[in-house]
Every structure is written in structure tokens, then in C-alpha cells.
Amino acid sequence: MPEEALQRAANEIAVLIYKKRTERGWTQKQLGEHIGEGEAAVSRAISGTLTPQAIKVRRKIYNILDIKEA
């Protein structure tokens, strides 16, 4: 997948997470507290980082915010 497409997908995911998080009235820090992760880990996961740890955190975020993984 070209880098541009990856970046576009990461941006779409970030927007969706932002929307779902703010619907609950949560900050990134509060989201992290709900999934047992720090704010920095949440930020990295939302930014589209592809490390195993970021992917694990992103899955926790999807689960708590009821986002279906594509």
C-alpha cells in the first residue's frame, strides 16, 4: 500500500477514535485510564504507529469504543 494511502487510513482512524472518545466526554488521558494505558501510548496508537505495542493499544481502544476493526 502506498505511503499516502497508509497516511489517509491512519487519519481516518484517528478521526473516528476522536469522535467516539469525545461522545463519551473522555480526554486521551481518560481513554488511557479506561484501557489501562498511559496517555502517550494512546497517542502513539491513534497516530497510526505500527509497532506491536501500538497495535495492541489500538485494539484495546477499538474494543472500549465499540469500533469494528476493518
Side-chain angles (χ1 to χ4, degrees):
M1 184 179 278
E3 179 136 350
E4 184 178 303
L6 285 173
Q7 187 60 50
R8 190 170 39 252
N11 290 342
E12 290 172 6
I13 290 167
V15 168
L16 178 59
I17 290 171
Y18 175 82
K19 180 182 172 196
K20 294 282 196 169
R21 174 178 63 78
T22 57
E23 284 174 357
R24 288 166 173 77
W26 295 346
T27 63
Q28 277 192 4
K29 181 178 180 181
Q30 290 168 321
L31 174 57
E33 290 169 356
H34 284 282
I35 62 170
E37 298 288 345
E39 185 176 3
V42 169
S43 180
R44 280 190 299 277
I46 292 170
S47 73
T49 302
L50 295 176
T51 65
Q53 180 62 25
I55 292 168
K56 177 181 150 198
V57 172
R58 198 163 30 253
R59 286 188 177 133
K60 288 181 174 183
I61 292 169
Y62 292 165
N63 186 45
I64 195 100
L65 296 178
D66 196 31
I67 297 171
K68 303 299 179 227
E69 233 179 305

Short mmCIF file of all heavy atoms in Angstrom, two decimals:
data_model
loop_
_atom_site.label_atom_id
_atom_site.label_comp_id
_atom_site.label_asym_id
_atom_site.label_seq_id
_atom_site.Cartn_x
_atom_site.Cartn_y
_atom_site.Cartn_z
N MET A 1 0.86 -1.18 0.00
CA MET A 1 0.00 0.00 0.00
C MET A 1 0.90 1.23 0.00
O MET A 1 1.81 1.34 0.82
CB MET A 1 -0.89 -0.03 1.24
CG MET A 1 -1.91 1.09 1.30
SD MET A 1 -2.99 1.02 2.76
CE MET A 1 -4.19 -0.17 2.24
N PRO A 2 0.67 2.17 -0.89
CA PRO A 2 1.49 3.37 -0.93
C PRO A 2 1.39 4.15 0.38
O PRO A 2 0.38 4.11 1.07
CB PRO A 2 0.90 4.18 -2.08
CG PRO A 2 0.10 3.22 -2.89
CD PRO A 2 -0.32 2.13 -1.94
N GLU A 3 2.45 4.88 0.68
CA GLU A 3 2.52 5.64 1.94
C GLU A 3 1.35 6.61 2.08
O GLU A 3 0.80 6.79 3.16
CB GLU A 3 3.84 6.39 2.03
CG GLU A 3 3.93 7.19 3.29
CD GLU A 3 5.26 7.07 3.97
OE1 GLU A 3 6.08 6.23 3.59
OE2 GLU A 3 5.47 7.84 4.89
N GLU A 4 0.96 7.24 0.99
CA GLU A 4 -0.15 8.19 1.03
C GLU A 4 -1.44 7.51 1.49
O GLU A 4 -2.19 8.06 2.30
CB GLU A 4 -0.35 8.83 -0.35
CG GLU A 4 -1.42 9.90 -0.37
CD GLU A 4 -1.55 10.51 -1.75
OE1 GLU A 4 -0.53 11.02 -2.27
OE2 GLU A 4 -2.67 10.47 -2.30
N ALA A 5 -1.69 6.32 1.01
CA ALA A 5 -2.90 5.58 1.40
C ALA A 5 -2.83 5.18 2.87
O ALA A 5 -3.85 5.24 3.58
CB ALA A 5 -3.08 4.36 0.52
N LEU A 6 -1.65 4.80 3.34
CA LEU A 6 -1.50 4.46 4.75
C LEU A 6 -1.77 5.67 5.63
O LEU A 6 -2.45 5.56 6.66
CB LEU A 6 -0.09 3.92 5.03
CG LEU A 6 0.20 2.51 4.55
CD1 LEU A 6 1.68 2.19 4.74
CD2 LEU A 6 -0.64 1.51 5.32
N GLN A 7 -1.25 6.81 5.23
CA GLN A 7 -1.46 8.04 6.00
C GLN A 7 -2.93 8.42 6.02
O GLN A 7 -3.48 8.81 7.05
CB GLN A 7 -0.62 9.19 5.44
CG GLN A 7 -0.66 10.43 6.29
CD GLN A 7 -0.15 10.19 7.70
OE1 GLN A 7 0.91 9.65 7.90
NE2 GLN A 7 -0.92 10.58 8.69
N ARG A 8 -3.59 8.29 4.90
CA ARG A 8 -5.02 8.61 4.81
C ARG A 8 -5.82 7.68 5.74
O ARG A 8 -6.71 8.13 6.47
CB ARG A 8 -5.50 8.49 3.37
CG ARG A 8 -6.89 9.02 3.14
CD ARG A 8 -7.30 9.12 1.67
NE ARG A 8 -6.86 8.03 0.83
CZ ARG A 8 -5.89 8.14 -0.11
NH1 ARG A 8 -5.28 9.28 -0.32
NH2 ARG A 8 -5.55 7.09 -0.84
N ALA A 9 -5.49 6.40 5.74
CA ALA A 9 -6.19 5.44 6.61
C ALA A 9 -5.95 5.77 8.08
O ALA A 9 -6.88 5.73 8.89
CB ALA A 9 -5.73 4.02 6.30
N ALA A 10 -4.70 6.12 8.43
CA ALA A 10 -4.38 6.48 9.81
C ALA A 10 -5.17 7.71 10.24
O ALA A 10 -5.68 7.78 11.36
CB ALA A 10 -2.88 6.72 9.96
N ASN A 11 -5.29 8.69 9.34
CA ASN A 11 -6.05 9.90 9.66
C ASN A 11 -7.53 9.59 9.87
O ASN A 11 -8.16 10.13 10.77
CB ASN A 11 -5.89 10.94 8.55
CG ASN A 11 -4.51 11.54 8.50
OD1 ASN A 11 -3.74 11.46 9.46
ND2 ASN A 11 -4.17 12.12 7.37
N GLU A 12 -8.08 8.72 9.03
CA GLU A 12 -9.49 8.33 9.17
C GLU A 12 -9.74 7.63 10.51
O GLU A 12 -10.75 7.88 11.17
CB GLU A 12 -9.92 7.45 8.01
CG GLU A 12 -10.02 8.20 6.70
CD GLU A 12 -10.25 7.30 5.50
OE1 GLU A 12 -10.46 6.08 5.68
OE2 GLU A 12 -10.23 7.83 4.38
N ILE A 13 -8.82 6.76 10.90
CA ILE A 13 -8.94 6.06 12.17
C ILE A 13 -8.85 7.05 13.32
O ILE A 13 -9.64 6.99 14.27
CB ILE A 13 -7.85 4.97 12.29
CG1 ILE A 13 -8.15 3.83 11.31
CG2 ILE A 13 -7.75 4.45 13.73
CD1 ILE A 13 -7.01 2.87 11.12
N ALA A 14 -7.91 7.99 13.24
CA ALA A 14 -7.76 8.99 14.29
C ALA A 14 -9.03 9.83 14.45
O ALA A 14 -9.46 10.10 15.58
CB ALA A 14 -6.56 9.89 14.00
N VAL A 15 -9.64 10.20 13.34
CA VAL A 15 -10.88 10.99 13.40
C VAL A 15 -12.00 10.17 14.03
O VAL A 15 -12.75 10.67 14.87
CB VAL A 15 -11.27 11.50 11.99
CG1 VAL A 15 -12.68 12.07 11.98
CG2 VAL A 15 -10.27 12.53 11.50
N LEU A 16 -12.12 8.92 13.65
CA LEU A 16 -13.16 8.06 14.22
C LEU A 16 -12.96 7.88 15.72
O LEU A 16 -13.92 7.99 16.50
CB LEU A 16 -13.17 6.70 13.52
CG LEU A 16 -14.18 5.69 14.03
CD1 LEU A 16 -15.60 6.22 13.92
CD2 LEU A 16 -14.03 4.37 13.28
N ILE A 17 -11.74 7.63 16.14
CA ILE A 17 -11.45 7.47 17.56
C ILE A 17 -11.76 8.76 18.31
O ILE A 17 -12.37 8.75 19.38
CB ILE A 17 -9.99 7.02 17.79
CG1 ILE A 17 -9.82 5.57 17.31
CG2 ILE A 17 -9.60 7.15 19.27
CD1 ILE A 17 -8.39 5.09 17.27
N TYR A 18 -11.37 9.90 17.73
CA TYR A 18 -11.65 11.19 18.35
C TYR A 18 -13.16 11.37 18.55
O TYR A 18 -13.62 11.76 19.62
CB TYR A 18 -11.08 12.33 17.49
CG TYR A 18 -11.45 13.70 18.01
CD1 TYR A 18 -10.73 14.28 19.05
CD2 TYR A 18 -12.54 14.40 17.48
CE1 TYR A 18 -11.08 15.52 19.54
CE2 TYR A 18 -12.90 15.64 17.98
CZ TYR A 18 -12.16 16.20 19.00
OH TYR A 18 -12.52 17.43 19.50
N LYS A 19 -13.92 11.07 17.51
CA LYS A 19 -15.37 11.23 17.57
C LYS A 19 -15.96 10.35 18.67
O LYS A 19 -16.75 10.82 19.50
CB LYS A 19 -15.99 10.88 16.22
CG LYS A 19 -17.48 11.00 16.18
CD LYS A 19 -18.05 10.59 14.84
CE LYS A 19 -19.56 10.54 14.92
NZ LYS A 19 -20.17 9.83 13.84
N LYS A 20 -15.60 9.09 18.68
CA LYS A 20 -16.14 8.15 19.67
C LYS A 20 -15.71 8.53 21.09
O LYS A 20 -16.51 8.44 22.03
CB LYS A 20 -15.68 6.72 19.36
CG LYS A 20 -16.21 6.17 18.07
CD LYS A 20 -17.63 5.72 18.25
CE LYS A 20 -18.05 4.82 17.12
NZ LYS A 20 -19.33 4.18 17.40
N ARG A 21 -14.46 8.97 21.23
CA ARG A 21 -13.94 9.34 22.54
C ARG A 21 -14.65 10.57 23.08
O ARG A 21 -15.09 10.60 24.23
CB ARG A 21 -12.43 9.59 22.42
CG ARG A 21 -11.78 10.13 23.67
CD ARG A 21 -10.29 10.30 23.50
NE ARG A 21 -9.87 11.25 22.50
CZ ARG A 21 -9.88 12.58 22.65
NH1 ARG A 21 -10.32 13.12 23.77
NH2 ARG A 21 -9.44 13.36 21.69
N THR A 22 -14.82 11.57 22.22
CA THR A 22 -15.45 12.82 22.68
C THR A 22 -16.96 12.64 22.91
O THR A 22 -17.53 13.35 23.74
CB THR A 22 -15.19 13.98 21.71
OG1 THR A 22 -15.65 13.64 20.41
CG2 THR A 22 -13.71 14.33 21.68
N GLU A 23 -17.59 11.69 22.22
CA GLU A 23 -19.00 11.38 22.50
C GLU A 23 -19.17 10.93 23.95
O GLU A 23 -20.22 11.15 24.55
CB GLU A 23 -19.52 10.29 21.57
CG GLU A 23 -19.80 10.76 20.17
CD GLU A 23 -20.17 9.62 19.22
OE1 GLU A 23 -20.16 8.44 19.63
OE2 GLU A 23 -20.46 9.92 18.04
N ARG A 24 -18.15 10.31 24.48
CA ARG A 24 -18.19 9.85 25.87
C ARG A 24 -17.68 10.93 26.83
O ARG A 24 -17.70 10.73 28.05
CB ARG A 24 -17.35 8.58 26.02
CG ARG A 24 -18.02 7.38 25.38
CD ARG A 24 -17.05 6.23 25.23
NE ARG A 24 -17.70 5.03 24.76
CZ ARG A 24 -18.06 4.79 23.50
NH1 ARG A 24 -17.85 5.69 22.58
NH2 ARG A 24 -18.64 3.67 23.16
N GLY A 25 -17.17 12.02 26.28
CA GLY A 25 -16.65 13.10 27.11
C GLY A 25 -15.28 12.81 27.70
O GLY A 25 -14.90 13.39 28.71
N TRP A 26 -14.53 11.90 27.06
CA TRP A 26 -13.22 11.49 27.56
C TRP A 26 -12.10 12.25 26.88
O TRP A 26 -12.13 12.48 25.67
CB TRP A 26 -12.98 10.00 27.32
CG TRP A 26 -13.88 9.07 28.03
CD1 TRP A 26 -14.72 9.35 29.07
CD2 TRP A 26 -14.04 7.67 27.76
NE1 TRP A 26 -15.39 8.22 29.46
CE2 TRP A 26 -14.99 7.18 28.68
CE3 TRP A 26 -13.46 6.81 26.86
CZ2 TRP A 26 -15.37 5.84 28.71
CZ3 TRP A 26 -13.86 5.48 26.87
CH2 TRP A 26 -14.80 5.00 27.79
N THR A 27 -11.07 12.57 27.65
CA THR A 27 -9.81 13.06 27.10
C THR A 27 -8.98 11.84 26.69
O THR A 27 -9.35 10.70 27.02
CB THR A 27 -9.02 13.85 28.15
OG1 THR A 27 -8.68 12.96 29.23
CG2 THR A 27 -9.81 15.04 28.68
N GLN A 28 -7.86 12.06 26.02
CA GLN A 28 -6.98 10.93 25.70
C GLN A 28 -6.49 10.28 26.98
O GLN A 28 -6.38 9.06 27.07
CB GLN A 28 -5.78 11.38 24.86
CG GLN A 28 -6.09 11.49 23.41
CD GLN A 28 -4.83 11.66 22.56
OE1 GLN A 28 -3.71 11.64 23.03
NE2 GLN A 28 -5.04 11.84 21.27
N LYS A 29 -6.21 11.10 28.00
CA LYS A 29 -5.75 10.56 29.28
C LYS A 29 -6.82 9.66 29.89
O LYS A 29 -6.53 8.56 30.37
CB LYS A 29 -5.40 11.69 30.23
CG LYS A 29 -4.90 11.22 31.56
CD LYS A 29 -4.51 12.37 32.46
CE LYS A 29 -3.99 11.83 33.79
NZ LYS A 29 -3.63 12.90 34.69
N GLN A 30 -8.07 10.10 29.87
CA GLN A 30 -9.16 9.30 30.42
C GLN A 30 -9.38 8.02 29.62
O GLN A 30 -9.63 6.96 30.20
CB GLN A 30 -10.45 10.12 30.47
CG GLN A 30 -10.40 11.22 31.51
CD GLN A 30 -11.55 12.19 31.37
OE1 GLN A 30 -11.95 12.55 30.26
NE2 GLN A 30 -12.09 12.63 32.50
N LEU A 31 -9.25 8.10 28.31
CA LEU A 31 -9.35 6.90 27.48
C LEU A 31 -8.27 5.91 27.91
O LEU A 31 -8.55 4.73 28.10
CB LEU A 31 -9.19 7.25 25.99
CG LEU A 31 -9.12 6.09 25.01
CD1 LEU A 31 -10.35 5.18 25.11
CD2 LEU A 31 -8.94 6.61 23.59
N GLY A 32 -7.06 6.40 28.09
CA GLY A 32 -5.97 5.55 28.56
C GLY A 32 -6.27 4.89 29.89
O GLY A 32 -6.00 3.70 30.09
N GLU A 33 -6.86 5.66 30.80
CA GLU A 33 -7.21 5.11 32.11
C GLU A 33 -8.24 3.98 31.97
O GLU A 33 -8.16 2.98 32.67
CB GLU A 33 -7.75 6.22 33.01
CG GLU A 33 -6.68 7.20 33.43
CD GLU A 33 -7.23 8.46 34.10
OE1 GLU A 33 -8.47 8.63 34.18
OE2 GLU A 33 -6.40 9.28 34.53
N HIS A 34 -9.16 4.13 31.06
CA HIS A 34 -10.20 3.11 30.85
C HIS A 34 -9.63 1.81 30.27
O HIS A 34 -10.22 0.74 30.48
CB HIS A 34 -11.31 3.63 29.95
CG HIS A 34 -12.24 4.58 30.62
ND1 HIS A 34 -13.25 4.16 31.46
CD2 HIS A 34 -12.31 5.93 30.59
CE1 HIS A 34 -13.90 5.21 31.92
NE2 HIS A 34 -13.35 6.30 31.41
N ILE A 35 -8.52 1.91 29.55
CA ILE A 35 -7.94 0.70 28.95
C ILE A 35 -6.65 0.27 29.63
O ILE A 35 -5.99 -0.66 29.19
CB ILE A 35 -7.71 0.87 27.43
CG1 ILE A 35 -6.71 1.99 27.12
CG2 ILE A 35 -9.03 1.08 26.71
CD1 ILE A 35 -6.26 2.05 25.68
N GLY A 36 -6.27 0.97 30.71
CA GLY A 36 -5.08 0.60 31.45
C GLY A 36 -3.78 0.97 30.77
O GLY A 36 -2.77 0.27 30.92
N GLU A 37 -3.80 2.06 30.01
CA GLU A 37 -2.60 2.52 29.29
C GLU A 37 -2.39 4.01 29.56
O GLU A 37 -3.33 4.72 29.90
CB GLU A 37 -2.77 2.31 27.78
CG GLU A 37 -2.95 0.88 27.35
CD GLU A 37 -1.69 0.04 27.46
OE1 GLU A 37 -0.58 0.60 27.60
OE2 GLU A 37 -1.81 -1.20 27.41
N GLY A 38 -1.17 4.47 29.38
CA GLY A 38 -0.86 5.87 29.57
C GLY A 38 -1.27 6.71 28.37
O GLY A 38 -1.50 6.19 27.27
N GLU A 39 -1.33 8.01 28.60
CA GLU A 39 -1.73 8.93 27.53
C GLU A 39 -0.78 8.87 26.33
O GLU A 39 -1.22 8.93 25.18
CB GLU A 39 -1.79 10.35 28.09
CG GLU A 39 -2.32 11.37 27.11
CD GLU A 39 -2.46 12.75 27.72
OE1 GLU A 39 -2.10 12.96 28.89
OE2 GLU A 39 -2.94 13.63 27.00
N ALA A 40 0.52 8.72 26.58
CA ALA A 40 1.49 8.64 25.48
C ALA A 40 1.25 7.41 24.62
O ALA A 40 1.33 7.48 23.39
CB ALA A 40 2.91 8.65 26.02
N ALA A 41 0.93 6.28 25.25
CA ALA A 41 0.66 5.05 24.49
C ALA A 41 -0.59 5.22 23.64
O ALA A 41 -0.63 4.77 22.49
CB ALA A 41 0.50 3.86 25.44
N VAL A 42 -1.60 5.89 24.19
CA VAL A 42 -2.83 6.14 23.44
C VAL A 42 -2.52 7.04 22.24
O VAL A 42 -2.96 6.77 21.12
CB VAL A 42 -3.91 6.77 24.35
CG1 VAL A 42 -5.09 7.29 23.53
CG2 VAL A 42 -4.38 5.77 25.39
N SER A 43 -1.76 8.07 22.47
CA SER A 43 -1.40 8.99 21.39
C SER A 43 -0.67 8.29 20.26
O SER A 43 -0.98 8.49 19.08
CB SER A 43 -0.55 10.13 21.96
OG SER A 43 -0.19 11.03 20.94
N ARG A 44 0.30 7.44 20.61
CA ARG A 44 1.04 6.69 19.58
C ARG A 44 0.11 5.77 18.81
O ARG A 44 0.20 5.65 17.58
CB ARG A 44 2.18 5.89 20.22
CG ARG A 44 3.41 6.70 20.53
CD ARG A 44 4.58 5.83 20.94
NE ARG A 44 4.33 5.04 22.14
CZ ARG A 44 4.47 5.48 23.39
NH1 ARG A 44 4.86 6.71 23.61
NH2 ARG A 44 4.22 4.70 24.41
N ALA A 45 -0.79 5.10 19.51
CA ALA A 45 -1.70 4.17 18.85
C ALA A 45 -2.63 4.90 17.89
O ALA A 45 -2.87 4.44 16.78
CB ALA A 45 -2.52 3.41 19.90
N ILE A 46 -3.11 6.06 18.30
CA ILE A 46 -4.02 6.84 17.47
C ILE A 46 -3.31 7.40 16.25
O ILE A 46 -3.89 7.53 15.18
CB ILE A 46 -4.70 7.95 18.29
CG1 ILE A 46 -5.64 7.32 19.32
CG2 ILE A 46 -5.44 8.93 17.41
CD1 ILE A 46 -6.18 8.31 20.34
N SER A 47 -2.03 7.70 16.40
CA SER A 47 -1.28 8.32 15.30
C SER A 47 -1.00 7.35 14.16
O SER A 47 -0.53 7.76 13.10
CB SER A 47 0.05 8.89 15.81
OG SER A 47 0.96 7.85 16.10
N GLY A 48 -1.27 6.08 14.37
CA GLY A 48 -1.06 5.11 13.30
C GLY A 48 0.26 4.38 13.37
O GLY A 48 0.64 3.68 12.45
N THR A 49 0.97 4.53 14.49
CA THR A 49 2.23 3.82 14.69
C THR A 49 1.99 2.32 14.52
O THR A 49 0.98 1.80 14.97
CB THR A 49 2.79 4.12 16.10
OG1 THR A 49 2.98 5.53 16.21
CG2 THR A 49 4.11 3.42 16.34
N LEU A 50 2.93 1.64 13.87
CA LEU A 50 2.73 0.23 13.54
C LEU A 50 3.56 -0.73 14.39
O LEU A 50 3.79 -1.86 13.98
CB LEU A 50 3.02 0.00 12.06
CG LEU A 50 2.06 0.70 11.10
CD1 LEU A 50 2.50 0.49 9.66
CD2 LEU A 50 0.64 0.22 11.31
N THR A 51 3.99 -0.31 15.57
CA THR A 51 4.71 -1.23 16.45
C THR A 51 3.72 -2.21 17.06
O THR A 51 2.53 -1.91 17.18
CB THR A 51 5.42 -0.46 17.58
OG1 THR A 51 4.43 0.15 18.42
CG2 THR A 51 6.38 0.59 17.04
N PRO A 52 4.21 -3.37 17.49
CA PRO A 52 3.30 -4.33 18.12
C PRO A 52 2.56 -3.74 19.33
O PRO A 52 1.37 -3.99 19.52
CB PRO A 52 4.22 -5.48 18.53
CG PRO A 52 5.34 -5.41 17.54
CD PRO A 52 5.55 -3.94 17.29
N GLN A 53 3.25 -2.94 20.14
CA GLN A 53 2.62 -2.33 21.31
C GLN A 53 1.51 -1.36 20.89
O GLN A 53 0.42 -1.36 21.48
CB GLN A 53 3.66 -1.61 22.18
CG GLN A 53 3.07 -0.95 23.42
CD GLN A 53 2.42 -1.92 24.39
OE1 GLN A 53 2.74 -3.10 24.43
NE2 GLN A 53 1.48 -1.42 25.19
N ALA A 54 1.76 -0.53 19.89
CA ALA A 54 0.75 0.43 19.43
C ALA A 54 -0.46 -0.30 18.87
O ALA A 54 -1.60 0.11 19.10
CB ALA A 54 1.34 1.38 18.40
N ILE A 55 -0.23 -1.38 18.15
CA ILE A 55 -1.34 -2.17 17.60
C ILE A 55 -2.17 -2.78 18.73
O ILE A 55 -3.40 -2.77 18.69
CB ILE A 55 -0.80 -3.25 16.64
CG1 ILE A 55 -0.22 -2.56 15.39
CG2 ILE A 55 -1.89 -4.25 16.27
CD1 ILE A 55 0.59 -3.47 14.51
N LYS A 56 -1.51 -3.26 19.78
CA LYS A 56 -2.20 -3.82 20.94
C LYS A 56 -3.07 -2.75 21.61
O LYS A 56 -4.24 -3.01 21.93
CB LYS A 56 -1.17 -4.37 21.93
CG LYS A 56 -1.75 -4.91 23.20
CD LYS A 56 -0.63 -5.40 24.10
CE LYS A 56 -1.06 -5.24 25.54
NZ LYS A 56 0.04 -5.28 26.48
N VAL A 57 -2.52 -1.57 21.79
CA VAL A 57 -3.27 -0.47 22.41
C VAL A 57 -4.44 -0.06 21.52
O VAL A 57 -5.55 0.17 22.00
CB VAL A 57 -2.34 0.73 22.72
CG1 VAL A 57 -3.13 1.94 23.19
CG2 VAL A 57 -1.29 0.34 23.75
N ARG A 58 -4.20 0.01 20.21
CA ARG A 58 -5.27 0.38 19.28
C ARG A 58 -6.43 -0.63 19.37
O ARG A 58 -7.60 -0.24 19.35
CB ARG A 58 -4.71 0.46 17.85
CG ARG A 58 -5.59 1.23 16.91
CD ARG A 58 -4.93 1.69 15.62
NE ARG A 58 -3.87 0.88 15.09
CZ ARG A 58 -2.56 1.21 15.13
NH1 ARG A 58 -2.16 2.33 15.68
NH2 ARG A 58 -1.66 0.42 14.60
N ARG A 59 -6.13 -1.89 19.51
CA ARG A 59 -7.19 -2.90 19.64
C ARG A 59 -7.99 -2.69 20.93
O ARG A 59 -9.20 -2.87 20.95
CB ARG A 59 -6.59 -4.30 19.59
CG ARG A 59 -6.19 -4.67 18.19
CD ARG A 59 -5.76 -6.10 18.07
NE ARG A 59 -5.46 -6.40 16.68
CZ ARG A 59 -4.37 -7.04 16.28
NH1 ARG A 59 -3.49 -7.48 17.15
NH2 ARG A 59 -4.16 -7.26 15.00
N LYS A 60 -7.30 -2.32 22.01
CA LYS A 60 -8.00 -2.01 23.26
C LYS A 60 -8.92 -0.81 23.06
O LYS A 60 -10.05 -0.79 23.57
CB LYS A 60 -7.00 -1.69 24.37
CG LYS A 60 -6.24 -2.86 24.90
CD LYS A 60 -5.31 -2.36 26.00
CE LYS A 60 -4.58 -3.45 26.72
NZ LYS A 60 -3.75 -2.89 27.82
N ILE A 61 -8.44 0.18 22.33
CA ILE A 61 -9.24 1.38 22.06
C ILE A 61 -10.47 1.00 21.25
O ILE A 61 -11.59 1.42 21.57
CB ILE A 61 -8.40 2.45 21.33
CG1 ILE A 61 -7.32 3.01 22.27
CG2 ILE A 61 -9.30 3.57 20.80
CD1 ILE A 61 -6.29 3.88 21.57
N TYR A 62 -10.28 0.21 20.21
CA TYR A 62 -11.41 -0.23 19.38
C TYR A 62 -12.45 -0.95 20.25
O TYR A 62 -13.65 -0.75 20.09
CB TYR A 62 -10.95 -1.18 18.28
CG TYR A 62 -10.11 -0.59 17.18
CD1 TYR A 62 -9.41 -1.43 16.32
CD2 TYR A 62 -9.98 0.79 16.98
CE1 TYR A 62 -8.64 -0.91 15.28
CE2 TYR A 62 -9.20 1.30 15.98
CZ TYR A 62 -8.54 0.44 15.12
OH TYR A 62 -7.77 0.96 14.11
N ASN A 63 -11.97 -1.79 21.14
CA ASN A 63 -12.87 -2.57 21.98
C ASN A 63 -13.68 -1.66 22.91
O ASN A 63 -14.91 -1.78 22.96
CB ASN A 63 -12.07 -3.59 22.79
CG ASN A 63 -12.96 -4.52 23.58
OD1 ASN A 63 -13.94 -5.02 23.05
ND2 ASN A 63 -12.62 -4.73 24.83
N ILE A 64 -13.03 -0.76 23.61
CA ILE A 64 -13.73 0.08 24.58
C ILE A 64 -14.67 1.07 23.91
O ILE A 64 -15.70 1.43 24.44
CB ILE A 64 -12.75 0.80 25.53
CG1 ILE A 64 -13.49 1.36 26.75
CG2 ILE A 64 -12.02 1.94 24.86
CD1 ILE A 64 -13.37 0.55 27.96
N LEU A 65 -14.30 1.50 22.68
CA LEU A 65 -15.13 2.48 21.96
C LEU A 65 -16.10 1.80 20.99
O LEU A 65 -16.81 2.49 20.25
CB LEU A 65 -14.25 3.48 21.21
CG LEU A 65 -13.37 4.38 22.08
CD1 LEU A 65 -12.53 5.29 21.20
CD2 LEU A 65 -14.20 5.18 23.06
N ASP A 66 -16.11 0.48 20.99
CA ASP A 66 -17.00 -0.30 20.12
C ASP A 66 -16.81 0.06 18.65
O ASP A 66 -17.77 0.35 17.92
CB ASP A 66 -18.46 -0.11 20.53
CG ASP A 66 -19.37 -1.17 19.93
OD1 ASP A 66 -18.90 -2.31 19.73
OD2 ASP A 66 -20.53 -0.86 19.64
N ILE A 67 -15.55 0.02 18.22
CA ILE A 67 -15.19 0.26 16.83
C ILE A 67 -14.83 -1.09 16.22
O ILE A 67 -14.02 -1.83 16.77
CB ILE A 67 -13.98 1.23 16.71
CG1 ILE A 67 -14.35 2.60 17.27
CG2 ILE A 67 -13.52 1.33 15.26
CD1 ILE A 67 -13.18 3.56 17.39
N LYS A 68 -15.44 -1.40 15.10
CA LYS A 68 -15.16 -2.66 14.42
C LYS A 68 -13.88 -2.52 13.61
O LYS A 68 -13.72 -1.57 12.84
CB LYS A 68 -16.31 -3.05 13.48
CG LYS A 68 -17.64 -3.15 14.19
CD LYS A 68 -17.64 -4.19 15.27
CE LYS A 68 -18.97 -4.25 15.97
NZ LYS A 68 -18.89 -4.26 17.41
N GLU A 69 -12.96 -3.46 13.82
CA GLU A 69 -11.69 -3.46 13.07
C GLU A 69 -11.94 -3.85 11.63
O GLU A 69 -12.62 -4.84 11.36
CB GLU A 69 -10.70 -4.46 13.71
CG GLU A 69 -9.40 -3.84 14.04
CD GLU A 69 -8.45 -4.81 14.68
OE1 GLU A 69 -8.81 -5.42 15.69
OE2 GLU A 69 -7.34 -4.95 14.15
N ALA A 70 -11.39 -3.07 10.74
CA ALA A 70 -11.56 -3.37 9.30
C ALA A 70 -10.56 -4.37 8.82
O ALA A 70 -9.53 -4.58 9.34
CB ALA A 70 -11.44 -2.09 8.48
#
